[in-house]
Amino acid sequence: GSMSLECLGNLLRITLSAEYFEGKYLSFSVVDQSGLAWELDEAMASQCGYTVTYSNWSNIEFHASALSCHSRLEKNVFIITTQIKASHTPDMKNATTHLKTASCYYGPWSPRELLCESNYMEVSVRREIPQTLEDFIQDEPEGWTLAFPEAEAREASIWQIVFHQPEEKKALVVRDAWSAGYGFNITDTRVLLRIPYTAAQIQLAQDQGITFSAVRSSTFYKQRWMILMVDTAVACPVDGVDYSNKTIIWTVPKYIELLSAGATSFKDVLVEAGVGLHKLSAEEMASRKFVLLNDLNAITMKIPIGAEGGYYKTSVNSGQHGVKYTINLFLEHQWEDDKWGLTKHTIIKEIETPFEQVELAITNNTNLSARLMNVTVGTFLPDVELVNLTIEGATVAVPAAVQRGYLTYEIRHANGSKAYVIQVPLDAPGIKKEYMKADLRAYTLNVTLGFITHPTSETFAVTVITVSTVTDAVLPSARGFCDGKNLHLIITHGNVDQNWLPFISDWHLTPEAAEKHHYGLRDNGTHLAITVPFLSSHVNYEDFNTSGIKTSLQLTLKDDITLANRRDFSISCMFSPSELIQCLPNGTVVISAVKLVEFGDLDTSLFVLRDRQCKPSLVTEKTATFKFNVNTCGTSRKFSSTAMTYENDVLYFRPGNDAPVYQLRFVCWYAIKQTIDIQYESKKNPPPSIKPGFGSLTLSLKLFKEKSYLEPYQESEYPVIKYLREALYFEVELLQPKDARLELSLDDCWATKSQSQDSLPQWPILINGCENNEDSYRTVFHKVNYTFRVTLPQHLKRFEVRMFTFLQGTNLSQE
């Protein structure tokens, strides 16, 4: 049931089930003979002989003394009625009331009985042999002179107490003593004094090295014509507990001087011990490995830590999880002396061992096939409850954590202990994914669990960090190609490189850096496209001969946190040597010299021509560009019947050495006279079968930077500067209508000197959809293929035109 009652000698114990009352607010009341319920607080409980304690993982125990304030004595029975209310709210609304009446038999009283409870001391003395004033405490007459005036003036029902303290003696009438927290009771045969441990008159006394809470007092009352007194001294041990080799050692001195004043001979009558108010037989103590020693001057109990009858409870020290072992010991010592006769001293002692830190096991049971992280934390004692989780710095209650994908539940074991299981999908928020190697990824769960203990409400946290390795990594891949001017690298993203950073050598290729160097850098989420010009400081020039220039571009993807190399890509291309030189019709030569990898220490700013006064006009880390006239800088000239050639060298000299370590010879060839014979034949085409139609068309004409037709010039980049014979890449697109049955055909296309299409002079580029036969550099058509951008290739036409200028007579036009 929810409650159990036990009569244990002169004590009543009511135990409340932790399962039934868990999570509820409780109030305890005691009902007097008139039916009035007195609600207990700590002060009333210690004054009236009641104790409320927790035991065995939140079980609640209520103790009542036979001589408590509200008990009724009938012959050999004491009767106590308790009222216990339980509610789910602290205001005790809608409380459930439990009313229990207990009748307990008690044995014969000893002349003097002492009780040491956890919250009060109690002494009751038989009053069957009253002492006269002349016989009373002959060694201390001053106690009488202090007490007598008050006692003499009172009726038989009024009594008082004199406290004997080293510095003074203090008398309190019952009214003042009650207000000070002392408890009293008087029956036909007994006088009782109850003293809370918080009372002002308590002294700390030493006996055999053990500290006692002690009060030496005399209680006075009138009976008929006599003033009567009883000695109501009481003492209870405060310490005396030691720990050695996983054993509790509890020592209690015998025949305490404070309780034995005036006695000269002593004799043990009974020494018994037990657990939880239950006395244990010798066989029971032996089975639990308890040891009870009764020496000449002291009684000693030895209890193995963790023994039956006690229990472990969770404890927190500086935020660390641990346990303490608790056991409620019971010791009864009866002795006879030549002053009191028989004295019974009962001590109820709760002993709690020091804090012992306990490491919690964290077991990773991740189910990779279900992509579910499964972690078990524990074992915990039953007095622990999980209340919250901290995920990515945010603390949320257990129900709210479920909404984020963090499911927790308890596993209860047969011995009452429990563990907590956390289940989290691999793709839940807060799960860190990290690439390891090959096709392996590490998934890290980092969550902090917040716990609370009952009933002490201590809190502690456990950080769970588990790593699971999963074979699901998809690495980025790459493909590359080169056109006449650039190196292209297109990287297809995997599932591990979302935060990897692109580096060329040790240079971080950011969008800002790419724009500064006129590089192409585009990322659409699935692909990263990088375009680097052939003449660039980040291109490696590996070899140079008449067949071409061997170049390479190295790209590294690095971890965004550690900057460790994760993936390397490279592309190698051959470029025509003609890309380095421009021989302009006006006699200007533009030559770019490149620094080969094997000459990595050369300073490109120190490159010169044959005339060492001719220095580069543009320098990068790996290139030096010269622009000069063929009649300068030591250029030599040769004639033949058909051509005129100009020759020079780019040279590099080390200091103090007249022999160049680097020499690049270049030649410009100009034709003096040239005749081209072209054979052709005509073929009569059948008339077209397509009927003419009329409608509105929307067209666009764009100029692109490269043959790849990936990046057009923007409006902000006009006017575009180009050298003679440099290629111009045009694209004409039919924007509307988007009809797949239509195909775009170009008829005439011409160039003018102004933006007006009708201005003169004009030069035809396309005539009736064909190249201009009179043009020295024919227009070149480029095939249009289907791509992610081009979905209707038949709606586009692409062609390449070489840069030219208009002539006025024999002079170049400056417009």
Side-chain angles (χ1 to χ4, degrees):
S2 59
M3 290 189 287
S4 62
L5 287 74
E6 291 180 279
C7 297
L8 303 165
N10 295 341
L11 288 171
L12 165 68
R13 176 168 66 185
I14 301 176
T15 303
L16 278 62
S17 166
E19 288 187 6
Y20 181 82
F21 290 98
E22 184 177 9
K24 297 178 181 178
Y25 295 89
L26 302 178
S27 72
F28 290 85
S29 300
V30 191
V31 182
D32 62 16
Q33 297 184 37
S34 65
L36 181 63
W38 297 81
E39 186 174 352
L40 297 179
D41 56 18
E42 291 184 8
M44 180 180 284
S46 60
Q47 185 175 37
C48 284
Y50 306 113
T51 304
V52 179
T53 62
Y54 291 89
S55 66
N56 198 17
W57 303 316
S58 299
N59 280 343
I60 300 172
E61 289 189 4
F62 172 80
H63 300 172
S65 169
L67 296 176
S68 61
C69 294
H70 308 92
S71 62
R72 305 195 311 274
L73 298 178
E74 297 180 2
K75 295 184 179 180
N76 295 328
V77 175
F78 67 92
I79 302 169
I80 298 176
T81 300
T82 59
Q83 176 183 279
I84 302 171
K85 291 184 177 181
S87 173
H88 291 284
T89 58
D91 58 9
M92 302 306 292
K93 288 184 177 180
N94 302 318
T96 303
T97 301
H98 303 267
L99 197 64
K100 290 289 182 181
T101 299
S103 299
C104 294
Y105 289 93
Y106 60 89
W109 292 95
S110 300
R112 179 172 63 163
E113 295 202 3
L114 308 167
L115 174 63
C116 298
E117 253 285 13
S118 61
N119 60 331
Y120 65 86
M121 302 184 292
E122 183 178 283
V123 54
S124 69
V125 181
R126 184 184 298 165
R127 65 181 188 123
E128 63 185 2
I129 307 177
Q131 291 180 307
T132 63
L133 184 60
E134 290 79 11
D135 297 328
F136 173 64
I137 308 186
Q138 296 298 321
D139 59 336
E140 296 192 8
E142 64 273 14
W144 272 109
T145 58
L146 182 60
F148 184 77
E150 284 286 341
E152 186 177 37
R154 301 295 178 185
E155 300 295 330
S157 59
I158 304 299
W159 49 313
Q160 71 173 4
I161 308 169
V162 173
F163 295 97
H164 304 268
Q165 295 178 298
E167 65 277 2
E168 63 176 352
K169 294 178 176 58
K170 183 174 183 179
L172 293 177
V173 297
V174 66
R175 179 182 63 253
D176 296 336
W178 181 266
S179 297
Y182 295 94
F184 312 96
N185 203 345
I186 185 165
T187 69
D188 293 341
T189 61
R190 311 292 293 180
V191 174
L192 175 138
L193 171 64
R194 189 175 295 110
I195 306 166
Y197 286 112
T198 56
Q201 277 69 38
I202 283 185
Q203 306 170 51
L204 295 179
Q206 291 277 331
D207 194 304
Q208 301 181 40
I210 306 299
T211 303
F212 284 81
S213 285
V215 171
R216 185 182 176 204
S217 62
S218 302
T219 302
F220 296 84
Y221 63 98
K222 284 180 68 175
Q223 184 170 321
R224 297 180 183 177
W225 51 269
M226 293 182 293
I227 297 175
L228 302 177
M229 182 280 295
V230 289
D231 184 351
T232 47
V234 63
C236 292
V238 175
D239 49 27
V241 180
D242 199 3
Y243 309 94
S244 177
N245 297 324
K246 296 289 184 179
T247 301
I248 299 170
I249 304 171
W250 181 30
T251 303
V252 180
K254 295 161 62 176
Y255 319 129
I256 304 164
E257 182 179 354
L258 182 69
L259 304 178
S260 306
T264 58
S265 63
F266 304 92
K267 178 185 177 182
D268 280 343
V269 175
L270 180 68
V271 174
E272 290 185 312
V275 176
L277 302 184
H278 285 284
K279 296 178 182 179
L280 297 178
S281 66
E283 292 77 12
E284 289 174 318
M285 295 188 73
S287 68
R288 301 185 187 197
K289 298 184 180 179
F290 286 15
V291 177
L292 180 62
L293 303 176
N294 184 11
D295 298 330
L296 181 62
N297 297 316
I299 300 170
T300 302
M301 286 188 71
K302 296 183 179 180
I303 303 98
I305 295 177
E308 179 186 352
Y311 66 97
Y312 284 98
K313 63 181 180 181
T314 303
S315 182
V316 180
N317 185 9
S318 300
Q320 297 298 312
H321 167 268
V323 296
K324 293 181 179 179
Y325 174 74
T326 300
I327 188 168
N328 283 292
L329 296 178
F330 169 83
L331 177 64
E332 182 180 304
H333 179 209
Q334 297 185 32
W335 74 88
E336 289 182 344
D337 58 46
D338 55 359
K339 178 181 178 182
W340 282 99
L342 184 63
T343 296
K344 182 168 76 170
H345 195 184
T346 302
I347 304 172
I348 301 170
K349 181 76 171 177
E350 182 182 75
I351 295 178
E352 185 178 86
T353 60
F355 173 84
E356 180 181 354
Q357 185 173 343
V358 175
E359 295 293 334
L360 292 166
I362 298 176
T363 307
N364 187 354
N365 302 308
T366 295
N367 186 343
L368 296 182
S369 61
R371 293 186 63 81
L372 192 68
M373 299 195 80
N374 187 303
V375 180
T376 302
V377 183
T379 307
F380 297 97
L381 294 175
D383 56 357
V384 168
E385 179 189 3
L386 175 65
V387 291
N388 60 53
L389 293 83
T390 301
I391 306 166
E392 294 186 300
T395 300
V396 296
V398 172
V402 176
Q403 299 177 2
R404 299 190 178 200
Y406 288 70
L407 174 66
T408 58
Y409 60 89
E410 287 185 4
I411 298 177
R412 292 188 176 268
H413 304 300
N415 63 357
S417 63
K418 60 185 177 181
Y420 283 94
V421 175
I422 314 167
Q423 288 186 345
V424 188
L426 289 178
D427 297 318
I431 300 295
K432 179 183 177 183
K433 305 177 186 69
E434 185 178 9
Y435 173 67
M436 295 178 65
K437 60 180 181 179
D439 57 353
L440 297 179
R441 279 201 294 178
Y443 289 77
T444 302
L445 169 66
N446 187 340
V447 60
T448 299
L449 309 181
F451 297 90
I452 190 170
T453 64
H454 298 290
T456 54
S457 297
E458 295 180 297
T459 59
F460 66 95
V462 178
T463 298
V464 176
I465 301 177
T466 58
V467 180
S468 298
T469 303
V470 184
T471 307
D472 67 349
V474 178
L475 293 174
S477 58
R479 61 184 179 87
F481 64 93
C482 297
D483 56 23
K485 297 290 185 180
N486 303 284
L487 296 91
H488 301 272
L489 196 60
I490 300 176
I491 298 170
T492 302
H493 289 302
N495 62 5
V496 297
D497 59 314
Q498 288 78 9
N499 297 318
W500 291 359
L501 306 176
F503 277 78
I504 299 178
S505 299
D506 290 327
W507 180 65
H508 182 195
L509 183 58
T510 64
E512 295 77 16
E515 183 178 4
K516 178 181 178 180
H517 288 76
H518 303 291
Y519 294 177
L521 180 65
R522 297 177 299 280
D523 194 332
N524 63 3
T526 60
H527 295 81
L528 172 66
I530 298 171
T531 300
V532 177
F534 158 65
L535 292 176
S536 165
S537 59
H538 295 102
V539 172
N540 297 318
Y541 304 99
E542 299 177 358
D543 195 14
F544 193 167
N545 52 51
T546 55
S547 62
I549 307 167
K550 184 178 181 182
T551 62
S552 66
L553 177 67
Q554 305 289 331
L555 181 78
T556 301
L557 296 180
K558 295 190 176 187
D559 188 277
D560 62 324
I561 298 175
T562 64
L563 294 183
N565 290 359
R566 289 302 192 185
R567 193 81 165 150
D568 292 312
F569 300 104
S570 66
I571 179 175
S572 182
C573 295
M574 294 294 292
F575 283 89
S576 169
S578 62
E579 296 296 332
L580 298 180
I581 187 170
Q582 295 182 65
C583 300
L584 303 180
N586 63 358
T588 300
V589 178
V590 180
I591 178 69
S592 294
V594 295
K595 179 172 64 174
L596 299 180
V597 173
E598 63 179 297
F599 297 109
D601 62 332
L602 299 188
D603 183 353
T604 55
S605 66
L606 299 181
F607 279 104
V608 294
L609 297 178
R610 289 176 181 173
D611 183 349
R612 298 190 186 184
Q613 299 301 315
C614 293
K615 301 183 183 299
S617 57
L618 178 64
V619 172
T620 69
E621 181 184 353
K622 296 181 180 179
T623 64
T625 301
F626 297 84
K627 185 176 182 180
F628 62 97
N629 188 273
V630 293
N631 297 316
T632 62
C633 296
T635 306
S636 60
R637 182 172 57 184
K638 294 181 180 179
F639 292 93
S640 67
S641 60
T642 60
M644 181 170 54
T645 59
Y646 293 89
E647 184 179 291
N648 206 328
D649 295 289
V650 178
L651 306 168
Y652 187 91
F653 299 92
R654 294 194 184 277
N657 193 339
D658 290 333
V661 296
Y662 178 98
Q663 182 176 10
L664 174 63
R665 178 159 296 173
F666 59 92
V667 176
C668 279
W669 180 88
Y670 291 90
I672 297 175
K673 183 178 180 181
Q674 187 175 19
T675 302
I676 300 176
D677 296 327
I678 300 176
Q679 292 182 349
Y680 72 95
E681 63 179 350
S682 63
K683 185 176 181 180
K684 190 172 183 179
N685 292 326
S689 60
I690 299 176
K691 296 180 180 181
F694 299 93
S696 177
L697 302 177
T698 303
L699 301 170
S700 73
L701 174 64
K702 295 180 182 178
L703 176 62
F704 280 78
K705 296 181 178 181
E706 304 154 3
K707 188 177 180 179
S708 61
Y709 286 90
L710 292 176
E711 185 178 2
Y713 283 100
Q714 304 300 320
E715 290 186 11
S716 59
E717 297 179 274
Y718 285 94
V720 176
I721 307 276
K722 292 288 185 178
Y723 295 111
L724 289 175
R725 293 168 50 194
E726 196 172 349
L728 302 173
Y729 302 100
F730 291 98
E731 177 186 271
V732 181
E733 181 179 5
L734 174 62
L735 299 178
Q736 292 292 337
K738 295 288 187 182
D739 189 340
R741 296 173 299 173
L742 299 179
E743 180 172 354
L744 176 66
S745 296
L746 301 181
D747 190 10
D748 294 325
C749 179
W750 63 93
T752 66
K753 290 176 57 178
S754 70
Q755 293 185 2
S756 173
Q757 64 180 11
D758 297 324
S759 65
L760 296 174
Q762 296 181 353
W763 182 257
I765 296 172
L766 297 177
I767 301 174
N768 295 324
C770 299
E771 304 93 335
N772 182 0
N773 294 331
E774 297 181 7
D775 202 333
S776 300
Y777 299 96
R778 300 288 183 87
T779 299
V780 178
F781 285 98
H782 293 295
K783 184 179 180 182
V784 181
N785 295 316
Y786 179 88
T787 67
F788 68 93
R789 185 177 76 85
V790 179
T791 57
L792 296 171
Q794 65 270 31
H795 284 195
L796 283 85
K797 285 293 186 285
R798 290 172 177 169
F799 55 90
E800 174 185 338
V801 178
R802 292 289 176 170
M803 185 64 184
F804 63 89
T805 186
F806 288 97
L807 294 176
Q808 294 179 346
T810 57
N811 298 322
L812 291 175
S813 173
Q814 299 300 314
E815 298 185 32

